[in-house]
Amino acid sequence: MTDRGLTGLPSLPDTPFLPTEKNLGLYPVVDTLEWLERLLNAGVTTIQLRIKDKQESDVEAIIRQAIELGKRFNARLFINDYWRLAVKHGAYGIHLGQEDLLTSDLKAIHQAGLRLGVSTHDDQELARAVAIRPSYIALGHIFPTQTKDMPSAPQGLQELKRHVASIPDYPTVAIGGISIDKVDAVLDCGVGSIAVVSAITQAPDWQQATAQLLSMIEHRER
Ligand SMILES: Cc1ncc(COP(=O)(O)OP(=O)(O)O)c(N)n1
Ligand SMILES: Cc1ncsc1CCOP(=O)(O)O
Ligand SMILES: [Mg+2]
Protein backbone atom coordinates (compact mmCIF):
# COMPACT_ATOMS: atom_id res chain seq x y z
CA MET A 1 0.00 0.00 0.00
CA THR A 2 1.29 3.53 -0.66
CA ASP A 3 0.85 6.75 1.34
CA ARG A 4 -0.36 8.77 -1.64
CA GLY A 5 -3.79 9.31 -0.10
CA LEU A 6 -2.52 11.38 2.79
CA THR A 7 0.69 12.90 1.51
CA GLY A 8 0.67 12.62 -2.27
CA LEU A 9 4.09 10.98 -1.82
CA PRO A 10 4.82 7.50 -3.03
CA SER A 11 6.74 6.04 -0.12
CA LEU A 12 7.62 7.16 3.39
CA PRO A 13 10.11 5.77 5.91
CA ASP A 14 8.65 3.60 8.68
CA THR A 15 10.18 5.65 11.49
CA PRO A 16 10.76 9.38 12.11
CA PHE A 17 13.79 11.16 10.71
CA LEU A 18 16.68 11.61 13.15
CA PRO A 19 15.97 14.39 15.65
CA THR A 20 17.76 17.73 15.79
CA GLU A 21 17.80 20.43 18.48
CA LYS A 22 14.32 21.61 19.52
CA ASN A 23 15.55 25.22 19.34
CA LEU A 24 17.82 25.58 16.34
CA GLY A 25 18.47 29.26 17.08
CA LEU A 26 19.72 31.65 14.41
CA TYR A 27 19.62 29.85 11.04
CA PRO A 28 21.29 31.80 8.22
CA VAL A 29 20.63 30.64 4.66
CA VAL A 30 23.54 31.42 2.31
CA ASP A 31 24.72 30.58 -1.18
CA THR A 32 28.53 30.47 -1.04
CA LEU A 33 31.35 28.77 0.84
CA GLU A 34 32.64 32.22 1.75
CA TRP A 35 29.43 33.09 3.61
CA LEU A 36 29.40 29.70 5.30
CA GLU A 37 32.92 30.13 6.60
CA ARG A 38 32.35 33.72 7.74
CA LEU A 39 29.22 32.84 9.65
CA LEU A 40 30.61 29.67 11.22
CA ASN A 41 33.58 31.74 12.41
CA ALA A 42 31.11 34.28 13.82
CA GLY A 43 29.55 31.60 16.04
CA VAL A 44 26.57 30.41 13.99
CA THR A 45 25.79 26.72 14.70
CA THR A 46 22.81 26.08 12.38
CA ILE A 47 23.15 27.09 8.73
CA GLN A 48 21.95 26.20 5.23
CA LEU A 49 23.70 26.15 1.86
CA ARG A 50 21.07 27.21 -0.68
CA ILE A 51 22.32 27.25 -4.27
CA LYS A 52 19.59 27.47 -6.88
CA ASP A 53 19.19 26.09 -10.37
CA LYS A 54 22.61 24.65 -11.12
CA GLN A 55 23.53 21.26 -12.53
CA GLU A 56 24.57 18.74 -9.89
CA SER A 57 27.97 18.45 -11.55
CA ASP A 58 28.49 22.21 -11.14
CA VAL A 59 27.77 22.23 -7.41
CA GLU A 60 29.20 18.91 -6.22
CA ALA A 61 32.63 20.26 -5.26
CA ILE A 62 31.07 23.19 -3.38
CA ILE A 63 28.63 20.95 -1.53
CA ARG A 64 31.41 18.52 -0.58
CA GLN A 65 33.54 21.37 0.79
CA ALA A 66 30.55 22.88 2.59
CA ILE A 67 29.88 19.58 4.34
CA GLU A 68 33.56 19.32 5.37
CA LEU A 69 33.40 22.88 6.70
CA GLY A 70 30.22 22.14 8.64
CA LYS A 71 31.88 19.11 10.23
CA ARG A 72 35.03 21.05 11.08
CA PHE A 73 32.91 23.56 13.00
CA ASN A 74 30.65 20.86 14.44
CA ALA A 75 27.73 22.80 12.95
CA ARG A 76 24.28 21.69 11.81
CA LEU A 77 24.63 22.29 8.07
CA PHE A 78 21.53 21.65 5.97
CA ILE A 79 21.92 21.35 2.19
CA ASN A 80 19.00 22.80 0.25
CA ASP A 81 17.50 20.84 -2.67
CA TYR A 82 20.55 18.74 -3.73
CA TRP A 83 19.59 15.69 -1.69
CA ARG A 84 21.58 13.15 -3.71
CA LEU A 85 24.81 15.09 -3.18
CA ALA A 86 23.98 15.66 0.49
CA VAL A 87 23.53 11.89 0.94
CA LYS A 88 26.63 11.07 -1.10
CA HIS A 89 28.85 13.37 0.98
CA GLY A 90 27.27 12.69 4.37
CA ALA A 91 25.67 16.04 5.26
CA TYR A 92 24.17 16.69 8.68
CA GLY A 93 20.83 17.39 7.03
CA ILE A 94 18.78 18.36 3.98
CA HIS A 95 16.08 20.99 3.50
CA LEU A 96 13.25 20.25 1.06
CA GLY A 97 10.22 22.24 -0.04
CA GLN A 98 6.85 20.73 -0.91
CA GLU A 99 7.71 20.48 -4.61
CA ASP A 100 11.08 18.91 -3.84
CA LEU A 101 9.34 16.20 -1.82
CA LEU A 102 7.72 14.91 -5.02
CA THR A 103 11.09 14.23 -6.64
CA SER A 104 13.13 13.07 -3.64
CA ASP A 105 13.74 9.60 -2.25
CA LEU A 106 12.79 10.14 1.37
CA LYS A 107 13.57 6.55 2.27
CA ALA A 108 17.11 6.89 0.93
CA ILE A 109 17.64 10.13 2.88
CA HIS A 110 16.28 8.50 6.03
CA GLN A 111 18.32 5.35 5.60
CA ALA A 112 21.50 7.37 5.13
CA GLY A 113 20.89 8.97 8.55
CA LEU A 114 20.46 12.58 7.40
CA ARG A 115 18.13 14.96 9.20
CA LEU A 116 15.31 16.47 7.13
CA GLY A 117 13.72 19.92 7.27
CA VAL A 118 10.49 20.53 5.33
CA SER A 119 8.96 23.85 4.19
CA THR A 120 5.28 24.57 4.79
CA HIS A 121 2.99 27.48 3.88
CA ASP A 122 -0.46 26.44 5.08
CA ASP A 123 -2.49 23.84 7.01
CA GLN A 124 -2.48 21.31 4.20
CA GLU A 125 1.28 21.46 3.74
CA LEU A 126 1.72 21.25 7.50
CA ALA A 127 -0.32 18.04 7.59
CA ARG A 128 1.81 16.59 4.79
CA ALA A 129 5.01 17.57 6.63
CA VAL A 130 3.82 15.97 9.87
CA ALA A 131 3.05 12.73 8.00
CA ILE A 132 6.71 12.61 6.95
CA ARG A 133 7.92 13.01 10.58
CA PRO A 134 10.87 15.23 9.62
CA SER A 135 13.58 16.59 11.94
CA TYR A 136 12.15 20.12 11.80
CA ILE A 137 9.31 22.00 10.11
CA ALA A 138 9.81 25.43 8.50
CA LEU A 139 6.94 27.92 8.39
CA GLY A 140 6.82 30.77 5.95
CA HIS A 141 7.02 33.06 4.39
CA ILE A 142 6.08 35.17 7.39
CA PHE A 143 6.54 38.64 5.84
CA PRO A 144 7.04 39.87 2.26
CA THR A 145 10.49 38.94 0.98
CA GLN A 146 12.67 40.16 -1.89
CA THR A 147 14.83 37.04 -1.77
CA LYS A 148 12.47 34.47 -3.31
CA ASP A 149 9.42 34.72 -5.55
CA MET A 150 6.51 33.47 -3.50
CA PRO A 151 3.22 32.49 -5.17
CA SER A 152 1.24 32.73 -1.91
CA ALA A 153 0.63 35.62 0.51
CA PRO A 154 2.80 36.00 3.60
CA GLN A 155 1.28 34.09 6.50
CA GLY A 156 1.90 36.76 9.15
CA LEU A 157 2.36 36.41 12.88
CA GLN A 158 -1.11 35.16 13.84
CA GLU A 159 -0.93 32.20 11.49
CA LEU A 160 2.65 31.53 12.55
CA LYS A 161 1.57 31.35 16.19
CA ARG A 162 -1.32 29.02 15.37
CA HIS A 163 0.88 26.74 13.26
CA VAL A 164 3.62 26.54 15.90
CA ALA A 165 1.05 25.69 18.58
CA SER A 166 -0.33 22.89 16.40
CA ILE A 167 3.02 21.02 16.25
CA PRO A 168 4.36 21.23 19.83
CA ASP A 169 6.61 18.18 19.42
CA TYR A 170 8.52 19.56 16.41
CA PRO A 171 11.44 21.94 16.17
CA THR A 172 10.10 24.91 14.19
CA VAL A 173 11.83 27.44 11.94
CA ALA A 174 10.26 30.73 10.80
CA ILE A 175 11.48 32.17 7.47
CA GLY A 176 10.73 35.02 5.09
CA GLY A 177 11.21 38.76 5.45
CA ILE A 178 12.46 38.56 9.01
CA SER A 179 14.50 41.67 9.68
CA ILE A 180 16.14 42.41 13.02
CA ASP A 181 13.28 44.67 14.13
CA LYS A 182 10.83 41.78 13.67
CA VAL A 183 12.77 39.11 15.56
CA ASP A 184 11.17 39.66 18.98
CA ALA A 185 7.64 39.47 17.57
CA VAL A 186 8.49 36.28 15.68
CA LEU A 187 10.02 34.69 18.78
CA ASP A 188 6.87 35.64 20.72
CA CYS A 189 5.02 33.17 18.44
CA GLY A 190 6.96 30.31 20.04
CA VAL A 191 9.29 29.32 17.18
CA GLY A 192 12.58 27.68 18.07
CA SER A 193 14.55 29.15 15.19
CA ILE A 194 14.64 32.08 12.78
CA ALA A 195 16.01 31.61 9.26
CA VAL A 196 17.30 34.70 7.48
CA VAL A 197 18.98 35.61 4.23
CA SER A 198 18.94 39.37 3.66
CA ALA A 199 19.00 40.37 7.36
CA ILE A 200 22.62 39.18 7.24
CA THR A 201 23.78 39.19 3.62
CA GLN A 202 22.32 42.64 2.81
CA ALA A 203 23.14 44.23 6.16
CA PRO A 204 25.41 47.28 6.06
CA ASP A 205 27.58 45.50 8.63
CA TRP A 206 26.99 41.72 8.51
CA GLN A 207 29.18 41.04 11.56
CA GLN A 208 27.22 43.44 13.70
CA ALA A 209 23.91 42.08 12.36
CA THR A 210 24.95 38.47 13.02
CA ALA A 211 26.14 39.25 16.54
CA GLN A 212 22.89 41.07 17.29
CA LEU A 213 20.73 38.27 15.87
CA LEU A 214 22.68 35.61 17.77
CA SER A 215 22.32 37.49 21.02
CA MET A 216 18.60 38.25 20.54
CA ILE A 217 17.74 34.66 19.63
CA GLU A 218 20.02 32.86 22.09
CA HIS A 219 18.85 35.14 24.85
CA ARG A 220 15.34 33.81 24.31
CA GLU A 221 16.26 30.15 23.96
CA ARG A 222 15.15 27.84 26.77
C1 LIG B 1 14.61 26.96 6.49
C2 LIG B 1 14.03 27.02 5.12
N1 LIG B 1 12.70 27.20 4.97
C3 LIG B 1 12.17 27.25 3.73
C4 LIG B 1 12.97 27.14 2.63
C5 LIG B 1 12.39 27.16 1.24
O1 LIG B 1 12.49 25.88 0.62
P1 LIG B 1 11.74 25.67 -0.79
O2 LIG B 1 10.30 25.94 -0.57
O3 LIG B 1 12.11 24.34 -1.33
O4 LIG B 1 12.37 26.78 -1.71
P2 LIG B 1 13.91 26.93 -2.16
O5 LIG B 1 14.68 27.43 -1.00
O6 LIG B 1 14.41 25.59 -2.61
O7 LIG B 1 13.88 27.93 -3.27
C6 LIG B 1 14.35 26.96 2.83
N2 LIG B 1 15.21 26.84 1.80
N3 LIG B 1 14.85 26.91 4.08
C1 LIG C 1 14.31 30.68 0.91
C2 LIG C 1 13.03 31.25 1.38
N1 LIG C 1 11.94 30.46 1.56
C3 LIG C 1 10.87 31.12 1.98
S1 LIG C 1 11.18 32.77 2.15
C4 LIG C 1 12.79 32.56 1.67
C5 LIG C 1 13.75 33.69 1.55
C6 LIG C 1 14.05 34.35 2.87
O1 LIG C 1 14.92 35.41 2.66
P1 LIG C 1 14.83 36.76 3.49
O2 LIG C 1 15.24 36.43 4.88
O3 LIG C 1 15.82 37.66 2.80
O4 LIG C 1 13.43 37.27 3.37
MG1 LIG D 1 13.67 23.66 -2.46
Side-chain angles (χ1 to χ4, degrees):
M1 206 173 83
T2 71
D3 300 298
R4 277 183 188 276
L6 179 59
T7 64
L9 303 170
S11 188
L12 296 179
D14 295 330
T15 57
F17 279 84
L18 279 185
T20 189
E21 293 298 305
K22 182 78 164 61
N23 295 312
L24 284 165
L26 174 64
Y27 183 174
V29 175
V30 296
D31 60 1
T32 63
L33 285 172
E34 288 72 21
W35 271 115
L36 273 185
E37 190 158 18
R38 272 181 208 150
L39 291 170
L40 291 169
N41 271 312
V44 163
T45 53
T46 305
I47 194 158
Q48 181 183 130
L49 180 68
R50 176 178 181 264
I51 298 174
K52 292 305 292 181
D53 305 325
K54 298 260 196 253
Q55 296 295 317
E56 285 200 354
S57 54
D58 291 337
V59 295
E60 177 157 10
I62 296 171
I63 287 179
R64 184 178 44 74
Q65 290 173 72
I67 293 169
E68 280 170 19
L69 202 52
K71 287 189 176 150
R72 197 173 338 133
F73 280 85
N74 205 17
R76 293 176 285 269
L77 169 68
F78 290 87
I79 301 295
N80 188 50
D81 291 351
Y82 293 94
W83 63 270
R84 281 192 191 80
L85 293 176
V87 167
K88 179 174 175 187
H89 295 289
Y92 176 85
I94 296 177
H95 184 93
L96 296 176
Q98 298 275 324
E99 299 283 311
D100 306 316
L101 292 171
L102 303 174
T103 54
S104 307
D105 185 342
L106 295 179
K107 281 192 165 169
I109 297 168
H110 182 274
Q111 199 171 349
L114 277 69
R115 284 89 183 158
L116 177 70
V118 174
S119 305
T120 67
H121 303 94
D122 56 30
D123 289 355
Q124 199 188 339
E125 293 186 357
L126 203 51
R128 185 179 297 129
V130 167
I132 294 167
R133 295 181 287 177
S135 312
Y136 74 76
I137 295 180
L139 304 148
H141 54 310
I142 309 304
F143 303 109
T145 175
Q146 306 291 319
T147 306
K148 175 175 161 68
D149 281 339
M150 302 297 300
S152 54
Q155 60 179 260
L157 292 171
Q158 266 195 338
E159 279 295 272
L160 174 64
K161 193 169 181 179
R162 187 174 70 77
H163 285 149
V164 170
S166 73
I167 46 170
D169 296 335
Y170 279 93
T172 50
V173 177
I175 188 166
I178 306 177
S179 46
I180 288 183
D181 57 304
K182 296 192 167 88
V183 163
D184 277 331
V186 173
L187 290 173
D188 285 345
C189 296
V191 289
S193 170
I194 293 188
V196 297
V197 179
S198 53
I200 290 177
T201 61
Q202 305 295 313
D205 178 345
W206 70 265
Q207 283 173 300
Q208 195 277 333
T210 304
Q212 191 176 345
L213 285 162
L214 277 171
S215 117
M216 289 175 89
I217 296 170
E218 274 163 20
H219 186 241
R220 293 280 292 265
E221 278 171 13
R222 293 162 288 273

